[in-house]
Amino acid sequence: MEEDTNMTIEKTEVLVVGAGQAGIAMSEHLRSYGIEHVVLERNRVAERWRSCRWDSLVANGPAWHDRFPHLEFQHDGPDDFVPKERVADYLAAYAQKIDAPIRCGVEVKEVRRNAGRLGFTVETSEGVIEAKAVVAATGPFQIPVIPPVVPEASGIAQIHSASYRNPEQLPEGAVLVVGAGSSGTQIAEELMRSGRKVYLSVGPHDRPPRHYRGRDFVWWLGVLNKWDAEATPGVEHTTIAVSGANGGHTLDFRRLASEGMTLLGRTETFHDGVLTFAPDLAENIAKGDANYLSLLGEADTYVTRNGLDLPEEPTARDMLPDPECMKHPVLELDLQNAGINTIIWATGFGVDYSWLKVEALDEQGRPHHQRGVSSEPGIYFLGLPWQTRRGSSFIWGVWHDAKYVADHIAKQRGYMAYKPSREEG
């Protein structure tokens, strides 16, 4: 008698990979449909919030906004910017609240489509699971990207922003931060406040006001329908410079320069200890200013049209004078002469879907999808920036994206359950 090898293979309808905010949101919506599923997490729930962020990081949006719909933050006020550890605790509490079937410490090693039958075979560190659908909810922050500009043999300490924790971990001396989005600028400001000499390489960016006329910028983007803006080519890579640190404030590069930070253009090349920079600093800051002023104008128009009683801010458009580093930009910098012993690369992340052995990726290994529904039937993606809209990378945004993906899974489930009636002859 042949042994039934299927006896040892676990089966589930949907397998979700990753138990961060995306995987937890996915679990809630699958449960609402009564769809059997399991969530596998190779570390702890919300691990990236705990171990891949610097010590002083807070959420970039206020607590009333950056949360799931059915649970408020217990130890923070609605307008507070929640510290990273409490964000992770909140996500873990939400997972417990919805009784998400999460298994921690389980790594997914490979996903392959079953030959000649429905579904996928998933190899994990704890055995094989078969699933009719797989949701890759591993998010966008997978592989820290450090451009190959400065060789390791240069003697300069180089880390990615994902490895930065606090000023004390760095060697003594000045620091160059490359990348002026939210992460890079907040890290640069923290280092400057700690007494370090800081150089900041600034590329193209959007620079919204933190607050305007008594409302946080997340409120303005909401009422102006900007959170629901759909992705267009190139837009998904736009850097946004905004900070929730110290109660939240508008990032102002001129102010940082006036307080001692040296601003530079985009980092380009390195040779014989000298870094070169593009002559685009003034242009990049001017475009950020234009974005800032444009949002103020739209907000004023909205207030007038709707007769809202929100206080005017006549000084909001005032700008500090251009600093010397803008008027006479530094195009070359000898790192040793500048006393720079550390470079922090706030240059984003790449993705690693090498475990997905299916036709769901493009030639660069990036997800090929429409609103999270991949080109490979039964494979889904969740937690990607601009997956459906500008707000997709936020906690509340991924919750709505997860609903769309769950809706699609439920619809496909209905099609597969269909059985035609047979007329008697």
Side-chain angles (χ1 to χ4, degrees):
M1 185 179 192
E2 267 188 29
E3 182 182 357
D4 185 358
T5 56
N6 289 331
M7 291 286 289
T8 60
I9 296 179
E10 178 182 357
K11 299 184 185 231
T12 187
E13 191 162 356
V14 179
L15 187 142
V16 181
V17 184
Q21 59 200 45
I24 294 167
M26 191 73 246
S27 181
E28 179 172 16
H29 290 296
L30 290 172
R31 182 175 292 278
S32 72
Y33 275 111
I35 297 175
E36 179 195 17
H37 65 284
V38 62
V39 183
L40 301 184
E41 168 57 52
R42 64 182 175 182
N43 295 304
R44 296 174 292 176
V45 171
E47 179 67 27
R48 293 190 186 279
W49 276 100
R50 298 189 191 278
S51 59
C52 296
R53 307 285 194 274
W54 62 95
D55 294 347
S56 65
L57 176 70
V58 299
N60 243 1
W64 68 265
H65 187 262
D66 281 12
R67 64 177 179 86
F68 289 142
H70 304 128
L71 183 67
E72 296 182 355
F73 284 92
Q74 300 302 306
H75 305 292
D76 300 273
D79 294 313
D80 291 344
F81 297 90
V82 182
K84 70 182 186 76
E85 285 292 337
R86 290 211 290 274
V87 173
D89 290 344
Y90 170 87
L91 293 171
Y94 200 90
Q96 186 174 16
K97 172 184 171 66
I98 66 172
D99 195 24
I102 296 173
R103 299 178 195 171
C104 292
V106 182
E107 182 178 3
V108 173
K109 296 181 175 294
E110 188 173 273
V111 174
R112 289 188 183 274
R113 176 170 287 285
N114 293 330
R117 58 191 177 94
L118 185 67
F120 304 88
T121 295
V122 182
E123 292 188 16
T124 81
S125 57
E126 293 195 353
V128 175
I129 300 175
E130 287 194 352
K132 293 179 181 177
V134 175
V135 181
T138 50
F141 306 120
Q142 297 176 28
I143 304 176
V145 173
I146 295 181
V149 176
V150 181
E152 293 184 12
S154 66
I156 302 294
Q158 301 182 68
I159 63 171
H160 191 270
S161 56
S163 299
Y164 171 78
R165 295 296 172 266
N166 52 62
E168 289 71 33
Q169 84 180 99
L170 305 181
E172 292 185 3
V175 181
L176 167 65
V177 179
V178 181
S182 292
S183 295
T185 307
Q186 288 180 65
I187 290 171
E189 188 169 13
E190 176 174 273
L191 288 167
M192 184 178 71
R193 302 273 177 250
S194 75
R196 301 273 188 149
K197 173 59 183 175
V198 177
Y199 296 80
L200 178 61
S201 177
V202 180
H205 60 274
D206 282 352
R207 188 174 71 89
R210 176 77 267 179
H211 300 97
Y212 183 59
R213 299 188 71 158
R215 296 289 188 272
D216 191 90
F217 98 97
V218 301
W219 188 88
W220 286 115
L221 264 59
V223 299
L224 296 172
N225 293 320
K226 292 185 179 293
W227 285 127
D228 290 325
E230 295 185 358
T232 54
V235 171
E236 64 270 19
H237 303 298
T238 300
T239 294
I240 297 179
V242 66
S243 175
N246 303 312
H249 59 277
T250 299
L251 291 176
D252 184 340
F253 293 107
R254 291 180 180 81
R255 177 182 58 80
L256 293 174
S258 73
E259 294 175 358
M261 190 178 295
T262 299
L263 307 178
L264 308 161
R266 286 179 299 108
T267 302
E268 292 195 320
T269 65
F270 177 83
H271 184 67
D272 289 338
V274 176
L275 267 175
T276 65
F277 303 91
D280 60 357
L281 175 62
E283 177 186 357
N284 294 335
I285 291 180
K287 288 181 177 178
D289 293 342
N291 172 256
Y292 169 84
L293 295 170
S294 174
L295 189 57
L296 299 190
E298 290 184 58
D300 289 341
T301 299
Y302 185 86
V303 168
T304 301
R305 285 181 175 176
N306 292 279
L308 300 183
D309 184 19
L310 297 178
E312 294 186 7
E313 287 193 39
T315 62
R317 290 172 173 78
D318 294 348
M319 300 279 182
L320 292 173
D322 288 350
E324 281 299 308
C325 57
M326 280 182 65
K327 292 187 287 188
H328 303 97
V330 176
L331 302 181
E332 292 188 352
L333 189 64
D334 186 301
L335 299 184
Q336 185 174 3
N337 289 344
I340 295 174
N341 293 324
T342 306
I343 300 176
I344 299 177
W345 297 90
T347 42
F349 296 78
V351 295
D352 179 11
Y353 292 107
S354 57
W355 48 274
L356 271 177
K357 308 296 185 182
V358 294
E359 301 296 326
L361 307 172
D362 64 17
E363 293 178 355
Q364 287 74 44
R366 297 172 303 199
H368 189 270
H369 72 101
Q370 185 175 28
R371 295 173 64 91
V373 181
S374 88
S375 54
E376 175 77 70
I379 297 291
Y380 299 86
F381 295 96
L382 189 61
L384 304 175
W386 288 89
Q387 177 159 317
T388 65
R389 56 177 67 84
R390 181 194 296 269
S392 288
S393 57
F394 285 71
I395 293 174
W396 62 270
V398 79
W399 189 89
H400 289 286
D401 287 354
K403 186 177 188 305
Y404 180 87
V405 172
D407 288 346
H408 193 277
I409 292 172
K411 284 186 289 185
Q412 294 301 307
R413 186 193 204 197
Y415 284 123
M416 294 307 296
Y418 167 72
K419 293 181 180 179
S421 59
R422 296 182 180 273
E423 294 184 2
E424 295 294 334

